[in-house]
Amino acid sequence: MITPWMNTHLLTFLVFAPFLWGALLLLFPERQAPLVKLLAVLGAAGVLAVGAAQLLRGQPDALGTIVLERFHWFSAVGIPVEYHLAADGLNLWLVILTVFLVPLTMLGTWNSLPSRPGTAFALLLMLESGMLGALVAQDLLLFYLFWEAMLLPMYFLIGVWGGAERRYAATKFLLFTLSGSLLWLVALLYTAGKAGSFAPGVMAQAVQALPGKVQGTLFIAFALAFAIKVPLFPLHTWLPDAHTEAPTAGSVILAGVLLKLGSYGFLRFAIPIFPDAARHFSLLLAVLSVAAIIYGALVAMMQTDIKKLVAYSSVSHMGFVMLGIASMTVIGTQGAMLQMLNHGISTGALFILVGMLYDRAHTRRIADFGGVALRMPVFTAFFMIVTLSSIGLPLTNGFAGEFLILNGTYLSGFHWGKAAACAATLGVLFSAAYMLWMVKRVFWGPANPDPESGTAHLHADLDLREIAVLLPLVVLIFWMGIHPQTFLTQSEGQVSRAILQAHAGEVKR
Amino acid sequence: MTITAGELSAILPLLIPALGACLLPLAALDKDQATVKWVRGATFFMALFCLAGGFFYITRLWATGAQPSYGAIRMDRLAQFAGIFVLVAAGLAVLQLWDHLHQEGWVKGETLSLLLFSAVGMILFVAASNLILLFLGLELLSLPLYALTATVRTRAKAFEGGMKYFITGAVAASSFLMGSVLLYGVTGTLEIGALGQALAARNPDPIALAGAALLLMGFLFKISSVPFHQWTPDVYEAAPHPISGFMSVATKGAAVMALLRVLGAGVPAPGSARIQAALALVAVLTLVVGNLAALAQDNIKRMLAYSSISHAGYILLGLVAATPAAYAGVIFYLLSYLVMNMGAFGILTCLGLVGDRTTFDDVKGQGWKRPDLAIAASLCLFGLAGIPPMAGFYGKYMIFKELILQGHVSMAVTGILASLVSVYYYFRLPVALFLEKPTAKAEREASERPAFRASLAGAALLVCGVLVVVIGLFPGTLYLSIASRVVADAFPFLR
């Protein structure tokens, strides 16, 4: 009974099972929190097991699609909206990253939420639904719905369980992202009205008939929404606030998956629908990306709070992703795909690690620490590995991604390619500087002598649960660094087709 | 004079609640302390029963597809939809009133009678195909509302609000009447259809234009659009919570639908481009004023009142687009607005907030006490803010899409920016409910107050919360089965 249904509705299951499970868990009273937490983790683990097993087993067809569900949903006011979900080369690994990170995050923050942890875990499950839905949605209105549906659980995660300035941060997050996506909705409705459909392929054809200026305006509206989510400099200001105020679980998911949806939106929708406009604005995108890389790194260097430092490093790393996309080459785009995964894993791991440190010391100020390596050697080992991957040490995941991106940018054929690649390399240098300097101040040297310091509160090294959370992440860090091909083959065909199409108009003109 | 079965079926949905409204004050006469509880229960049951009776007949008409008429009362699809809309809103209001009036300590049978009369007036307002009957409907819906606003007489604000509503409403009604007179003088007919044809046949002359403008003013007052909106926040604040909800939903809805009928018949034909431009201006101003004023409110009811002004703006944008699809979008919008706004006002009753204690401070941290109800109310507010996948998104979607297709991109952008602003104030209530700690004063007062139960109001709120999501998940079904059918059957001229 269940198995045939699952075979044909795998994606529906993946998208809605976490939501329904989360909604069910909300019904439990607060005093049952430990049970609710356990059920939530089991649910998320179940989704991971089913999702990973089924998706990795699936064989892609000629166009790269692995699983597909498609039927007519409704057509209010003439334009049909399709319930069209698909997992293909472009989103496969992002989907797996999502289902992988959610249970890990829950385990990693098992004891970090002081009040109502059950409700928070249920919200995480609901958030997972929104993210998975947005990742696999192929119809643009469907994508928009999931895109917006992600906001509410995250808003409450930050607003209820966050730090002292949580309401400010949550509201800023909500208004920033909404303001982008609402204007995008106008452009979306306009384009759909011209095309008579919300399917990206049909839209792309209709867009070709529009005057260049209109195409450009529409592309900017699309790009703005996605760039806010990424977030691209100078639209990034909501991110440090949201990251710093969010509870660990929120930060991990925010960095791990949510930000990726911005860059994914460029790859999946903005560039394929508006290839000419994308080429026209690629210089602007590249300049902003390089600015994000360097600016994010410089600001990270000045931070006194570890979590804020990691948050600004996100701005810098996501700048690399956007640079790879702006290069509009196969190598650069593949690098961006890989870097999205890298960032999800490395920065996610960093946020989990910072959360573990905070749970023990109740402070995140760099100056409050010193000599942590003496107190927590295992923790330090994990932190060092993740730090090195974040810096992009060869044989770790960070290196492979950044290398491909810089390579693609350099060879892009755009007149700005070489300059942008050189400037972005500075970012690699800076990231080594701020990360290692922070690690030096926090972990090495003599232990902080102040009896009130953070170091003085560190009484226990990682327990088994925490090691179990970090170990898979570290394995992935090396796997992706040593054999990135595992993660690149699925997307290769689709990316090269998309890039070819994006450049098709160039010859004509 | 005999009435045929068809004619009877046209007026039965009006007669049943009207009959109930006449009987209710008699039933509530008994003031014996021993039986008063039973009498109260009986009056509420009777009111619900009459509403359900009307609802039953009108849905039967809808199901069979019959569109009977009696004289100038035309029970067509539009009127049937209006009937369903108003009766459901009234039913939800009655459920909430039971709890609210008990909390206020002011349970009287007349309240329900007035409510039923008002509901009858609203249906009549939409069903009328003649200007005089339209005016009668307008008065029948308005007069009980003036009294309802001042129901809880012990509050100083109640009387003030009722008086304000009465005086401004009287001005609006007279302008409506004056407009009808001018149009009659120019064309010699009161029938809306004939009036439209007569106006279309002649050159626009100033008197007809003045008549159309005055008529329009009467409608805009009831829709509470700028610049006829000033009464709204004061009156909503003064009225009992469920009555405020009812006014915001049913009055606005009935007025919009009656306006649809009049506009659809082509009555403001004199220079209809000019009327259209005026509508566009009014719509944009309504959006801007309503949203900006709502931002500054500390009182939840005033915030909801200003937000209801801004919703009038969205609806008017749909009238500006003026295509069948946009009209259907307006109908859909009203439908989702019904559940969302009744739910939003419902939370006040469910939390037991009486009198002036309706500020954001009063609800801080209350969400964790009744999470189910607070979540339902939050869903309604997200819907009002137009956040998908809640119902409110699709009404806006349909209207904006038609606007964009008609080339009014800048108006769509204005509307979208307005709804962005609205997110900020709509989120203040969930934020207060869940994200903030109760004030010391509120906690002290809560411990002093006797415990309350709001089971009926709570049930109504839960229904609204569930519907907001269900409508959001299946917008297509509702659109096809209701909204587009209303437009297709009621506006043959649009095809």
Side-chain angles (χ1 to χ4, degrees):
Chain A
M1 228 345 236
I2 302 265
T3 326
W5 187 88
M6 282 285 282
N7 285 339
T8 46
H9 296 86
L10 173 68
L11 295 173
T12 301
F13 172 80
L14 283 183
V15 171
F16 289 101
F19 181 85
L20 294 176
W21 192 237
L24 193 73
L25 293 181
L26 276 182
L27 299 178
F28 282 77
E30 196 45 44
R31 61 195 143 75
Q32 304 273 9
L35 175 69
V36 172
K37 284 200 290 186
L38 186 68
L39 287 175
V41 173
L42 288 180
V47 170
L48 166 64
V50 172
Q54 298 282 343
L55 286 177
L56 290 177
R57 214 174 50 186
Q59 286 301 316
D61 65 4
L63 289 169
T65 309
I66 299 165
V67 211
L68 177 100
E69 278 176 55
R70 182 173 196 174
F71 56 87
H72 179 75
W73 183 20
F74 72 96
S75 55
V77 205
I79 303 178
V81 177
E82 279 191 283
Y83 180 79
H84 184 183
L85 307 178
D88 54 21
L90 275 186
N91 58 24
L92 170 73
W93 284 107
L94 289 171
V95 169
I96 292 180
L97 176 74
T98 309
V99 293
F100 170 72
L101 273 182
V102 171
L104 269 194
T105 309
M106 288 176 175
L107 269 183
T109 60
W110 189 259
N111 293 323
S112 326
L113 296 162
S115 66
R116 304 177 198 285
T119 315
F121 276 34
L123 278 179
L124 271 178
L125 282 172
M126 294 176 152
L127 183 60
E128 185 180 9
S129 275
M131 296 185 302
L132 288 176
L135 281 171
V136 295
Q138 305 290 317
D139 181 283
L140 266 157
L141 192 76
L142 194 63
F143 177 76
Y144 179 83
L145 296 180
F146 282 120
W147 174 271
E148 298 285 299
M150 293 186 303
L151 293 182
L152 290 178
M154 187 46 101
Y155 174 81
F156 282 102
L157 273 175
I158 299 175
V160 178
W161 289 272
E165 294 290 318
R166 57 182 186 271
R167 277 184 45 215
Y168 168 76
T171 309
K172 193 170 172 185
F173 161 75
L174 188 81
L175 289 182
F176 250 83
T177 33
L178 259 187
S179 56
S181 52
L182 283 176
L183 284 178
W184 166 46
L185 180 64
V186 177
L188 181 60
L189 292 179
Y190 182 88
T191 321
K194 293 284 176 208
S197 165
F198 283 106
V202 184
M203 277 187 169
Q205 279 171 6
V207 162
Q208 290 301 319
L210 296 175
K213 216 170 174 178
V214 178
Q215 283 188 40
T217 316
L218 292 173
F219 175 74
I220 288 176
F222 272 63
L224 203 62
F226 298 143
I228 287 176
K229 198 73 132 201
V230 168
L232 194 59
F233 177 86
L235 306 166
H236 65 280
T237 62
W238 64 269
L239 178 84
D241 285 315
H243 260 328
T244 318
E245 295 305 323
T248 302
S251 305
V252 176
I253 296 298
L254 200 57
V257 186
L258 227 62
L259 305 187
K260 308 300 171 299
L261 279 154
S263 41
Y264 171 76
F266 273 101
L267 285 175
R268 166 75 71 188
F269 299 118
I271 294 179
I273 295 179
F274 308 99
D276 298 337
R279 272 202 317 280
H280 185 250
F281 286 108
S282 60
L283 171 62
L284 179 68
L285 273 184
V287 168
L288 292 180
S289 310
V290 171
I293 293 171
I294 293 176
Y295 171 86
L298 288 177
V299 179
M301 216 177 286
M302 304 317 295
Q303 296 307 315
T304 53
D305 179 310
I306 308 176
K307 202 171 180 187
K308 225 168 182 167
L309 184 145
V310 179
Y312 273 106
S313 84
S314 272
V315 176
S316 182
H317 287 154
M318 290 308 288
F320 270 106
V321 174
M322 287 310 298
L323 185 62
I325 292 172
S327 78
M328 295 185 74
T329 56
V330 179
I331 304 178
T333 309
Q334 284 281 68
M337 296 284 301
L338 191 64
Q339 187 69 359
M340 284 200 253
L341 298 179
N342 290 339
H343 180 257
I345 288 173
S346 301
T347 308
L350 273 178
F351 276 119
I352 292 181
L353 285 162
V354 174
M356 289 172 175
L357 191 65
Y358 181 79
D359 287 345
R360 290 171 167 76
H362 299 288
T363 171
R364 288 189 305 251
R365 277 188 55 215
I366 295 174
D368 279 339
F369 292 99
V372 171
L374 297 173
R375 301 282 177 106
M376 299 175 71
V378 181
F379 177 77
T380 308
F382 277 115
F383 205 104
M384 283 308 299
I385 296 171
V386 177
T387 301
L388 293 175
S389 94
S390 173
I391 293 170
L393 192 78
L395 292 188
T396 63
N397 56 357
F399 176 77
E402 281 171 5
F403 176 79
L404 287 174
I405 289 168
L406 292 174
N407 194 353
T409 313
Y410 194 85
L411 300 174
S412 65
F414 286 118
H415 60 88
W416 46 264
K418 293 185 171 121
C422 293
T425 315
L426 269 183
V428 183
L429 206 66
F430 286 152
S431 82
Y434 65 76
M435 285 306 284
L436 291 178
W437 190 33
M438 181 267 283
V439 165
K440 176 186 159 253
R441 283 179 290 170
V442 172
F443 290 91
W444 306 110
N448 196 327
D450 183 358
E452 295 300 309
S453 74
T455 313
H457 287 99
L458 303 174
H459 296 304
D461 207 338
L462 299 187
D463 57 27
L464 273 180
R465 168 183 63 88
E466 290 168 319
I467 293 175
V469 169
L470 293 170
L471 217 50
L473 293 167
V474 168
V475 169
L476 273 176
I477 284 174
F478 285 118
W479 187 352
M480 295 176 73
I482 295 168
H483 195 257
Q485 205 55 33
T486 325
F487 302 87
L488 288 171
T489 33
Q490 266 88 357
S491 55
E492 198 156 19
Q494 209 159 355
V495 165
S496 39
R497 258 196 312 281
I499 297 295
L500 211 64
Q501 268 167 16
H503 285 291
E506 204 170 12
V507 191
K508 263 192 325 214
R509 268 145 231 249
Chain B
M1 177 178 115
T2 53
I3 296 183
T4 65
E7 286 174 338
L8 187 67
S9 67
I11 53 172
L12 216 48
L14 290 164
L15 280 183
I16 297 170
L19 204 67
C22 295
L23 291 176
L24 268 169
L26 299 176
L29 275 180
D30 191 352
K31 294 281 191 245
D32 183 0
Q33 283 301 316
T35 54
V36 73
K37 230 168 77 184
W38 293 101
V39 170
R40 278 179 192 174
T43 51
F44 274 83
F45 178 75
M46 211 168 123
L48 279 177
F49 186 76
C50 295
L51 289 171
F55 183 78
F56 174 74
Y57 272 103
I58 216 159
T59 41
R60 267 231 330 220
L61 281 184
W62 178 280
T64 54
Q67 307 199 42
S69 59
Y70 176 74
I73 298 178
R74 274 178 34 195
M75 205 36 90
D76 57 4
R77 282 262 192 234
L78 185 67
Q80 289 168 20
F81 174 75
I84 294 171
F85 181 84
V86 168
L87 291 173
V88 170
L92 289 172
V94 170
L95 288 178
Q96 296 179 0
L97 271 175
W98 170 263
D99 288 310
H100 180 71
L101 293 181
H102 276 91
Q103 287 163 10
E104 291 272 14
W106 192 273
V107 195
K108 307 265 188 226
E110 304 89 87
T111 315
L112 297 175
S113 167
L114 290 168
L115 186 69
L116 289 192
F117 272 126
S118 179
V120 172
M122 286 169 187
I123 305 175
L124 187 63
F125 192 38
V126 184
S129 65
N130 173 310
L131 284 180
I132 290 302
L133 204 58
L134 204 65
F135 179 71
L136 278 181
L138 179 67
E139 286 298 279
L140 185 56
L141 84 86
S142 306
L143 286 171
L145 284 181
Y146 304 147
L148 278 171
T149 304
T151 295
V152 186
R153 288 199 295 273
T154 43
R155 290 180 63 200
K157 267 194 184 153
F159 176 74
E160 189 192 318
M163 206 58 203
K164 195 175 262 178
Y165 196 16
F166 174 57
I167 291 169
T168 49
V171 174
S174 31
S175 94
F176 185 94
L177 197 57
M178 189 64 203
S180 312
V181 168
L182 288 181
L183 286 176
Y184 177 71
V186 174
T187 61
T189 176
L190 285 166
E191 285 297 320
I192 294 172
L195 199 60
Q197 283 163 4
L199 285 174
R202 46 190 299 140
N203 289 326
D205 65 62
I207 296 182
L209 192 61
L214 284 171
L215 199 68
L216 200 60
M217 211 177 106
F219 283 110
L220 291 181
F221 178 85
K222 286 293 163 200
I223 301 174
S224 65
S225 80
V226 172
F228 313 108
H229 67 287
Q230 280 102 340
W231 59 274
T232 319
D234 293 335
V235 170
Y236 284 14
E237 196 188 355
H241 314 328
I243 297 298
S244 308
F246 179 71
M247 282 196 287
S248 73
V249 168
T251 316
K252 199 179 297 254
V256 167
M257 282 183 263
L259 181 58
L260 269 181
R261 180 184 299 288
V262 173
L263 282 178
V267 166
S272 87
R274 242 182 284 179
I275 296 279
Q276 207 66 11
L279 268 183
L281 181 70
V282 165
V284 170
L285 282 179
T286 306
L287 276 177
V288 172
V289 171
N291 273 304
L292 291 185
L295 273 181
Q297 304 305 318
D298 285 322
N299 188 313
I300 298 169
K301 278 172 93 178
R302 287 187 81 85
M303 181 275 280
L304 286 173
Y306 278 111
S307 95
S308 90
I309 294 174
S310 80
H311 283 282
Y314 297 117
I315 292 171
L316 287 175
L317 280 182
L319 299 187
V320 172
T323 59
Y327 287 164
V330 167
I331 298 287
F332 187 93
Y333 197 102
L334 287 174
L335 206 67
S336 50
Y337 184 66
L338 162 72
V339 285
M340 295 185 303
N341 230 31
M342 288 310 285
F345 275 102
I347 188 68
L348 297 173
T349 305
C350 289
L351 291 178
L353 301 170
V354 289
D356 296 330
R357 280 217 320 274
T358 50
T359 62
F360 286 106
D361 280 343
D362 293 312
V363 300
K364 276 185 182 170
Q366 302 283 320
W368 297 111
K369 285 189 184 160
R370 288 302 305 271
D372 48 347
L373 297 177
I375 288 176
S378 301
L379 288 177
C380 292
L381 285 159
F382 299 151
L384 285 171
I387 291 180
M390 263 57 84
F393 169 72
Y394 295 97
K396 286 192 175 122
Y397 157 78
M398 290 162 196
I399 288 173
F400 291 156
K401 219 199 95 266
E402 277 307 299
L403 269 183
I404 292 170
L405 290 187
Q406 297 302 312
H408 303 296
V409 178
S410 58
M411 293 184 93
V413 172
T414 314
I416 288 219
L417 287 178
S419 69
L420 179 66
V421 172
S422 78
V423 169
Y424 186 79
Y425 59 78
Y426 281 129
F427 268 68
R428 280 183 73 187
L429 187 56
V431 162
L433 283 171
F434 289 111
L435 269 53
E436 291 182 305
K437 295 208 162 44
T439 56
K441 181 168 155 273
E443 282 200 323
R444 201 174 52 244
E445 280 177 359
S447 62
E448 285 164 3
R449 235 180 318 150
F452 63 92
R453 287 207 2 252
S455 16
L456 285 182
L461 175 54
L462 284 181
V463 167
C464 291
V466 170
L467 279 179
V468 168
V469 177
V470 170
I471 296 177
L473 290 181
F474 304 101
T477 327
L478 216 59
Y479 179 82
L480 288 179
S481 63
I482 298 181
S484 56
R485 270 170 85 179
V486 168
V487 174
D489 289 357
F491 302 110
F493 51 88
L494 280 172
R495 261 176 288 177

